[in-house]
Amino acid sequence: MLIVMDAAATAEDIERVVGTVQALGLQAHPIPGAQRTAIGITGNRGAVDRTAFENLPGVTEVIPVSAPYKLVSREAKRENTVVSIGGVPVGGERLAIVGGPCAVESERQAIEIGKSVREAGATLYRGGAYKPRTSPYSFQGLGVEGLKILARVRAETGLPIITEVLDTETVDVVAEHADCLQVGARNMQNFSLLKRLGRIRKPVLLKRGMAATIEELLLSAEYLLAEGNYEVVLCERGVRTFADHTRNTLDLSAVPYVQRISHLPILVDPSHGTGKRAKVLPLSRAAVAVGADGLLIEVHNEPEHALSDGPQALLPEMFRELVAEMRRLAPVVGRTA
Amino acid sequence: MLIVMDAAATAEDIERVVGTVQALGLQAHPIPGAQRTAIGITGNRGAVDRTAFENLPGVTEVIPVSAPYKLVSREAKRENTVVSIGGVPVGGERLAIVGGPCAVESERQAIEIGKSVREAGATLYRGGAYKPRTSPYSFQGLGVEGLKILARVRAETGLPIITEVLDTETVDVVAEHADCLQVGARNMQNFSLLKRLGRIRKPVLLKRGMAATIEELLLSAEYLLAEGNYEVVLCERGVRTFADHTRNTLDLSAVPYVQRISHLPILVDPSHGTGKRAKVLPLSRAAVAVGADGLLIEVHNEPEHALSDGPQALLPEMFRELVAEMRRLAPVVGRTA
Amino acid sequence: MLIVMDAAATAEDIERVVGTVQALGLQAHPIPGAQRTAIGITGNRGAVDRTAFENLPGVTEVIPVSAPYKLVSREAKRENTVVSIGGVPVGGERLAIVGGPCAVESERQAIEIGKSVREAGATLYRGGAYKPRTSPYSFQGLGVEGLKILARVRAETGLPIITEVLDTETVDVVAEHADCLQVGARNMQNFSLLKRLGRIRKPVLLKRGMAATIEELLLSAEYLLAEGNYEVVLCERGVRTFADHTRNTLDLSAVPYVQRISHLPILVDPSHGTGKRAKVLPLSRAAVAVGADGLLIEVHNEPEHALSDGPQALLPEMFRELVAEMRRLAPVVGRTA
Amino acid sequence: MLIVMDAAATAEDIERVVGTVQALGLQAHPIPGAQRTAIGITGNRGAVDRTAFENLPGVTEVIPVSAPYKLVSREAKRENTVVSIGGVPVGGERLAIVGGPCAVESERQAIEIGKSVREAGATLYRGGAYKPRTSPYSFQGLGVEGLKILARVRAETGLPIITEVLDTETVDVVAEHADCLQVGARNMQNFSLLKRLGRIRKPVLLKRGMAATIEELLLSAEYLLAEGNYEVVLCERGVRTFADHTRNTLDLSAVPYVQRISHLPILVDPSHGTGKRAKVLPLSRAAVAVGADGLLIEVHNEPEHALSDGPQALLPEMFRELVAEMRRLAPVVGRTA
C-alpha cells in the first residue's frame, strides 16, 4: 500500500503516518519527491485496512498497490531516480557510458584499459574481480587482489568503479573498494544477496536474469529498496531464446517498458546481449535510441588473449568510435554523452 | 556452389559456364554485380565437382558454399540489393517508411488513412485484404474487394501498395492489384507459396516466422531467388519468447546480422514486434539506429474500432510525429527519411 | 455460442434450432453425443442474442462460449472423439502406433519398411511424398509418384496411409491416395490449407507448430471443424526453446491439457520431438504414460542413407522393441497396443 | 583430463598418479568404480601434458576431456551413482518418492503431512524452511524454527529430510538439521553457494535453472564434485518457454540425456514443472516411464490455504493414488516403488 501525502503536508504529518504504520507492526518507507512525499508500506502479508490512514492529516490518497512491486513503481515516485555512482549521475540527461574489461587480469591491463576508455569518453569503469563462471575450471577472477587493482584504476583515471559481487561474504570488501556493486544475471534472484545489498549504502547495478520477466526484475529491485537501498540501476543484458545468431536476444523493449512503470534508471549491455564484437556498435546505437540511460561495454586491449569473454570485447579504438557515435546520436533523443 | 567470374570476363565466358552447369543437369543463376558476375548453381543434391569449372576461361574462384543459402548471400552478390516497389527504392540510402492499417475495412477508411500517412511522409502503403487470423471466427479480410480498394488508395495517394498474400490461388489476383506481396510470419515456411512467388515478377516482403532462426529466414528467401525472383525484402517482426511485457520480442540484432551475410534489404515492424502502441515509437528509433532499411507501421484512424490488431495501431498524429523523429535520426546513421 | 439440447429432445426439436440459427445468417453444427446433442453456432462476428434460443423446445442450456474455440471443446462434445483412419480407430482404447519413413524414397524402400512395421505391430503407416524442407536444395519428395507408392504400400500391407499435404493444389490428389492427410508444424497456421481440408471427407492429422500455444493449436483445429470436417487428430511434436540437447523440446503436458479441454484425440511424435534416435524409446514410454492416444515414429531400414531426417529414424528392430515395450506399458494406463 | 587405471592397478599405483598430479600444482580426484578407478584432474586452466601420465604403472588410458565437465561424466565413472539420503538410496532400482509441503507452516501441518505421505508410500520428506520468493512481501519461510520442525517430522515419521538452502550463511545450520540440502532453480548458478556445498558431507539436490542447458546443469554439479562432494542428485523441474498452459515446460528428454552422459541420479519435479494440480499425476507417470530415478511431489493438507504454491500441491489422497499408480508402473520400466 502506498500513502500519498499532500504537497502541503508538514514533517509532522509525515511522522504521524509513519508512526501509525509502525504501530500496526509494518514498515514505513517515506519517499520524498520534488512535489510531494509518498510513504510505502511493506511487511504486510495480506491486505492492510486503508481506513486507518485515509483520515490522517496531510494524506491525499491511499493506493492499494495492485502491482506486486511498490517502492520501485512510478506510483511511489513520479520523478526519475538519478543514482550517483561515485559522483557520476546515472539516470539524468547525460548518458552513462561504462567501459572496461570483463575481468581484471593484471594491474597493467586494468589501468591501460582504464586510461583508454577515459580518453575515449567513458564516465564509469567496470571490471570483474570476482567472476561467475559456468565451469569450475574457468578463471574465477583475482578476488581481493582484483579489487585493489580496481581502486588503483580509480586513483589513476578518476573513473568511479563498478564491479560484480557474488555472495554475501564479500559484500563488505567489495563495497569498501568499489563505487557500485553489480549483481549479475545469474544472481538476479539470489534473494539473500539482494537483502544484504539492501542494507549497504552503495549503489547497486542489477542485471536482468536470462529468463526473467520484467516483473521479476522489478521485484528483485524491490528487495533492495524494501531493505532501504534506493540507489538501484537496472540493466537489460539479453534473454535466452531459441535464436542462435547471437549469444542472447537483447530485449530493447524492456527499456521503455521499465521507464513507464518504474522510476529507476536502466542501462543496456550490448556486449553480453549479443556476445559478438561486430554487433556491439549497432546495438549500442539502438539502445540509446530506444531511450536507455547508458551503456555497459566490454573493452579489452588484446581481446584474443582475454581470460574470459574475449570475442565480444571491443578494442580501444572501436570503443572510441562507439563513444563518438553516441555523442552524435544522443542529442536526437534529448540526451548528451 | 558459386562460381565467381573475373571482372574482365566476357559475356561469352559467362555463357560458357552457364552451358556447362546446365549440361550437368543443374540450374545456373548469373547474378550481375557492379564489379563482377557470380553464377550460383542450384539443383544439386550432393556435392558438385568443382574441377569442372575451375579451368574455364573467366572463372576466378569456385566457392563450395558451406552456408546452406547461396543466392541470398553476400558471397553471391557483394553490393546491397535495392528493391524497387512501384518505383520506390527499398534498401538504398532513403529509409522506406511503410504505413497503413492492419486490415482494409472500407474504402473510406483506407483512403483516409492513405492520405494521412502520405502527408506525414510515408513512402509506401500497406493494408491487408486477406488476413491470416488465429481464429476462424475473426474477421478474415475483404478479399478481392479489399484489393480493389487498395488500388484506389494508390490512385488517390500515389503510394505503392504492399499487401499480404495467403495462398497460391490468390497470388495472381494479389499481384495484379499490389506492388509488393507480403508473406506473413505464419507462412514463412509455406514452401509452396514461396515457390509460386518465386515465379512472379513483383517484389516480395518476407516476414520472419515467430520461431524462425535467421538461417531459416534466409533459406525461405532462397526459395524465392532460386525460382528467379530476386526482388525480396526481409522483415524482422519479433519472435516468440517467455517475455510477456510485449506481444513478441523484437530481435533487432537480426538486422546487422542479416546485413553482414546477405545483400537483401531488411525492414523492421515494431507494431507487431511489440503489440503495444506506446512502444512503437521508441522501437522505431531503435530499428533505424540499428541500421534497418525501413519501418512497417500500423496506422488506424480509430484504433479502438479497428476490426483487428487495434491496440498496436498508431493514430495519424502519432505517425506524423514518428516520421518527424525518424527524419531527425536518419542522418546520424547515414540515411535520409 | 453453443446450444445444448435435452437428452429427450426430438429430431424435430434439433431441426427447429438449426433452422433458427440459419435464419440469422449463421451456420449450425449439430454434434451428436451419446447422451445428448449439442449445436455449435459459427459465423457470427460479435455476440449472438441468446434469448433467440433459450425458449425453443428441447433446449437445455445456451452457453456463450468464452474460450475462443467452440466445436473442438469438451463443452461442445463431452465424449472423446474416435477418428477412423481407413478403418483403424484413433482415440479409443487401443493406442495408434504409426510407423514409417520420413520420406518415400522408392517403392522397394517404402514397402520393405511397411512390411517390417506391420509385423512389429504398427497399425498405421506414414511416409512423405511431399516434403516441406527448410532449404530449396534439399530433397523435396517424390510427389505424385510417392503417393502411388504409398497406395501400393497399403495394398501390400493392409495398413492405412497417413501422408503430408503441403498446399491446396495437391489436397485432391493426396486425398485420393491417402487415408489421412497430415498438416505439418510449419503449416499449422496456413489457414487457406486448413479451410480447404475442412471441406474434404478424409481425416486430418494436425501437428502443433514450433511456437504454437495450445490455444492456437485448437483454433487451427477449429478451422477444420468449422468447415465441416470433424475427423481431426492432433499431434504434439515438440516446440522450439533454448534447450539444445534435443532438436525440439517435447511438451508432454500438452497431452493431458488438450484432453481436458477438447474431445479430439492427440498423438505424440517423439521422433521429431527429440531429433535423436536414442531418445525415441524413452520419450515414447513417457508419451504413452502421460495418456497420449498413440505415437508417430520414424522408421528407416538404412537411416544413415535416408534422404532426410536420418539421425532420428529407428531401425526396424528398434521399432519392434518399441512396440513390444508399449504393449507392456499400455495396460498400466488402461490401454492396449 | 581423466586418467583411467587398469582393473589390476594397486593402491600404490593410484597414489603415484595422484602424487604426480599434485606435483604439477593440480588436484587429483580418485573415483573408485566397481571395476576400476579413474582419477580426474582439475585445476588446470589450459591443456595438461598427457605424456606425464601415460607411462606410469597401472595407467590404462588418458582421456583429454573434451566435454567441459569431467567428474560428473560417464567417462569418469561408468556405474550409476547411488546417493544415500539418510539411509534411503536414490539412483538405484527403487524409485525415490519425495513428498511434502512447499513450505513448513507449523509443526502440526508439517507432521500431519509427513505421516500421510509416509503412509502413502513416500520414502523421503521435503519441506521448505527458507523460501526463495519472487516478491520481498511474500512469506519467506520459518527459518531455523522450520528446520527444527523438520527434524521433528523425521523423528515422528522416520523419513529423511530434504530442505532448501538459500545462502552460504545458513549452510551449516541447514546441514545440521537436514539429510539433504536442496539448491533451487534460481540458485543453480550461485557458484559461491555451490562451492560451499561442495565442502560439506551431506547430499545435495540440485535443481535445473529455468533457462539452463543440460551442460550448464552438469557444470554446476561439477562445482560440487570438484570441491569433493560426490553425493549429488539432479532434478528436472521444467524450463521457461512461451508455452502458457503450464507454469513451466517440463523437459523430460533431459532425463535420458543426463543418464547417458552422467552417472548422477536425476529426479523429476512435476509439481513445479507444471504448476497445476491436475497435471501432476500424468506427468509423474511420464517421468517414471522416461526413466527418472524418482519424483518430487508437493503435498498439502489444505492446498487452498497454503502460504505458497497452493494450486499445484496434491491433497493427501491424491498423493496416495499417485504412489499406487507408480507402483503399478515401475515394474514395466525395471523399477520398484
Side-chain angles (χ1 to χ4, degrees), chain C residues 156-174:
Chain C
E156 288 274 342
T157 64
L159 297 176
I161 300 297
I162 300 173
T163 197
E164 185 158 355
V165 62
L166 292 185
D167 47 40
T168 50
E169 287 96 324
T170 47
V171 163
D172 285 336
V173 69
V174 175

Side-chain angles (χ1 to χ4, degrees), chain B residues 24-309:
Chain B
L24 289 167
L26 307 175
Q27 283 83 55
H29 300 263
I31 311 164
Q35 301 292 328
R36 53 177 199 171
T37 289
I39 299 166
I41 303 183
T42 64
N44 53 308
R45 288 200 191 164
V48 176
D49 183 10
R50 55 192 296 167
T51 59
F53 306 104
E54 284 176 328
N55 295 317
L56 293 180
V59 170
T60 287
E61 213 181 338
V62 177
I63 302 174
V65 180
S66 60
Y69 31 82
K70 302 178 189 180
L71 305 174
V72 301
S73 77
R74 281 264 177 225
E75 289 174 3
K77 177 154 175 283
R78 216 162 277 289
E79 302 84 14
N80 288 341
T81 286
V82 179
V83 174
S84 167
I85 298 182
V88 172
V90 176
E93 192 191 312
R94 189 172 182 195
L95 293 175
I97 299 188
V98 189
C102 181
V104 172
E105 294 163 24
S106 71
E107 178 163 349
R108 197 184 136 179
Q109 167 247 23
I111 290 179
E112 209 170 272
I113 295 174
K115 287 180 175 169
S116 106
V117 298
R118 187 199 52 197
E119 274 158 39
T123 52
L124 293 160
Y125 183 89
R126 56 148 267 168
Y130 297 94
K131 299 299 306 170
R133 302 304 302 275
T134 302
S135 164
Y137 311 126
S138 300
F139 175 56
Q140 310 268 326
L142 296 179
V144 176
E145 182 50 38
L147 294 175
K148 288 178 186 163
I149 291 173
L150 287 168
R152 271 169 282 181
V153 172
R154 177 177 46 216
E156 288 274 343
T157 64
L159 296 176
I161 300 296
I162 301 174
T163 197
E164 184 157 355
V165 62
L166 292 186
D167 48 40
T168 50
E169 286 96 325
T170 46
V171 164
D172 286 335
V173 69
V174 176
E176 186 190 325
H177 292 86
D179 300 285
C180 175
L181 286 75
Q182 176 181 316
V183 176
R186 292 173 186 79
N187 271 326
M188 192 201 85
Q189 294 193 311
N190 180 339
F191 302 119
S192 299
L193 180 60
L194 296 176
K195 284 180 189 170
R196 181 73 186 71
L197 291 170
R199 291 192 293 270
I200 63 166
R201 287 299 158 268
K202 280 271 167 97
V204 173
L205 176 68
L206 178 64
K207 296 186 111 178
R208 182 180 180 187
M210 267 184 284
T213 63
I214 300 299
E215 184 174 307
E216 289 170 340
L217 172 63
L218 290 174
L219 281 168
S220 285
E222 186 84 15
Y223 265 92
L224 295 161
L225 274 72
E227 294 286 338
N229 190 345
Y230 294 87
E231 304 290 304
V232 176
V233 178
L234 305 173
C235 182
E236 160 66 29
R237 46 79 72 208
V239 291
R240 191 166 268 186
T241 73
F242 67 89
D244 54 4
H245 63 286
T246 43
R247 196 163 69 167
N248 294 289
T249 298
L250 197 65
D251 178 11
L252 289 178
S253 70
V255 173
Y257 187 79
V258 160
Q259 289 173 334
R260 188 175 63 76
I261 58 177
S262 174
H263 52 84
L264 296 175
I266 180 165
L267 306 182
V268 169
D269 176 350
S271 300
H272 285 86
T274 65
K276 300 203 169 173
R277 195 175 303 153
K279 302 294 169 282
V280 173
L281 176 56
L283 272 302
S284 291
R285 284 195 306 251
V288 168
V290 92
D293 294 299
L295 299 170
L296 216 67
I297 307 285
E298 253 181 57
V299 180
H300 203 280
N301 39 8
E302 302 170 68
E304 66 284 4
H305 293 133
L307 291 180
S308 67
D309 281 347

Side-chain angles (χ1 to χ4, degrees), chain A residues 159-183:
Chain A
L159 297 176
I161 300 297
I162 300 173
T163 196
E164 185 158 354
V165 62
L166 292 184
D167 46 41
T168 50
E169 286 97 323
T170 47
V171 164
D172 286 335
V173 69
V174 175
E176 185 190 325
H177 291 86
D179 300 286
C180 174
L181 287 75
Q182 176 182 315
V183 176

Side-chain angles (χ1 to χ4, degrees), chain D:
Chain D
M1 191 173 288
L2 196 70
I3 298 168
V4 182
M5 303 302 291
D6 199 286
T10 64
E12 215 178 20
D13 290 343
I14 292 171
E15 225 170 302
R16 195 182 302 108
V17 171
V18 168
T20 309
V21 170
Q22 291 169 343
L24 289 167
L26 307 174
Q27 283 83 56
H29 300 264
I31 311 165
Q35 301 291 328
R36 52 177 200 172
T37 289
I39 299 166
I41 304 182
T42 64
N44 54 308
R45 288 201 191 162
V48 177
D49 183 9
R50 55 191 295 167
T51 59
F53 305 104
E54 284 175 329
N55 296 317
L56 292 180
V59 171
T60 288
E61 214 181 338
V62 177
I63 303 173
V65 180
S66 59
Y69 32 83
K70 302 178 189 179
L71 305 173
V72 301
S73 77
R74 281 263 176 224
E75 289 174 3
K77 177 155 175 284
R78 217 163 276 289
E79 301 84 16
N80 288 341
T81 286
V82 179
V83 174
S84 166
I85 298 182
V88 172
V90 176
E93 191 190 313
R94 190 172 181 194
L95 293 175
I97 299 189
V98 190
C102 181
V104 172
E105 293 163 26
S106 72
E107 178 163 349
R108 198 185 135 177
Q109 167 247 22
I111 290 179
E112 210 170 90
I113 295 175
K115 286 180 175 170
S116 106
V117 299
R118 188 200 51 198
E119 276 158 38
T123 52
L124 293 160
Y125 184 89
R126 55 149 268 168
Y130 298 93
K131 299 299 305 170
R133 302 304 303 274
T134 303
S135 164
Y137 310 126
S138 300
F139 174 57
Q140 310 267 324
L142 297 179
V144 176
E145 183 49 39
L147 293 175
K148 288 178 186 163
I149 291 174
L150 287 168
R152 271 169 281 180
V153 171
R154 177 178 46 215
E156 288 274 342
T157 64
L159 297 176
I161 301 295
I162 300 174
T163 197
E164 184 157 356
V165 61
L166 291 186
D167 47 41
T168 51
E169 287 96 325
T170 47
V171 164
D172 286 335
V173 69
V174 176
E176 186 189 325
H177 293 85
D179 299 285
C180 174
L181 286 75
Q182 176 181 315
V183 177
R186 292 173 186 79
N187 270 326
M188 192 201 85
Q189 293 193 312
N190 180 340
F191 302 118
S192 299
L193 181 60
L194 295 177
K195 285 180 189 170
R196 181 72 186 72
L197 291 171
R199 291 192 293 269
I200 64 167
R201 286 299 158 268
K202 280 271 168 97
V204 173
L205 176 67
L206 178 64
K207 295 186 112 178
R208 182 180 180 186
M210 268 184 284
T213 63
I214 300 300
E215 184 174 306
E216 289 170 340
L217 171 64
L218 290 174
L219 282 168
S220 285
E222 186 84 14
Y223 265 92
L224 296 161
L225 275 72
E227 294 286 338
N229 190 346
Y230 296 87
E231 304 289 305
V232 176
V233 179
L234 305 173
C235 183
E236 160 66 29
R237 45 78 73 208
V239 292
R240 191 165 269 185
T241 73
F242 68 88
D244 54 3
H245 63 288
T246 43
R247 197 163 68 167
N248 294 289
T249 299
L250 197 65
D251 178 12
L252 289 178
S253 69
V255 173
Y257 187 78
V258 161
Q259 289 173 334
R260 190 176 61 76
I261 58 177
S262 173
H263 52 85
L264 296 175
I266 179 164
L267 306 182
V268 168
D269 177 349
S271 300
H272 285 87
T274 65
K276 299 206 168 171
R277 196 175 302 153
K279 302 294 170 282
V280 173
L281 176 57
L283 273 302
S284 292
R285 284 195 306 250
V288 168
V290 91
D293 293 299
L295 299 170
L296 218 66
I297 307 285
E298 254 181 55
V299 180
H300 203 280
N301 40 8
E302 302 171 67
E304 65 284 5
H305 293 133
L307 291 180
S308 66
D309 281 346
Q312 73 197 19
L314 297 190
L315 285 166
E317 57 267 29
M318 298 167 82
F319 181 72
R320 209 172 305 129
E321 189 197 331
L322 183 145
V323 178
E325 280 222 32
M326 296 310 121
R327 283 179 174 158
R328 288 195 294 275
L329 179 56
V332 180
V333 290
R335 300 273 197 172
T336 58

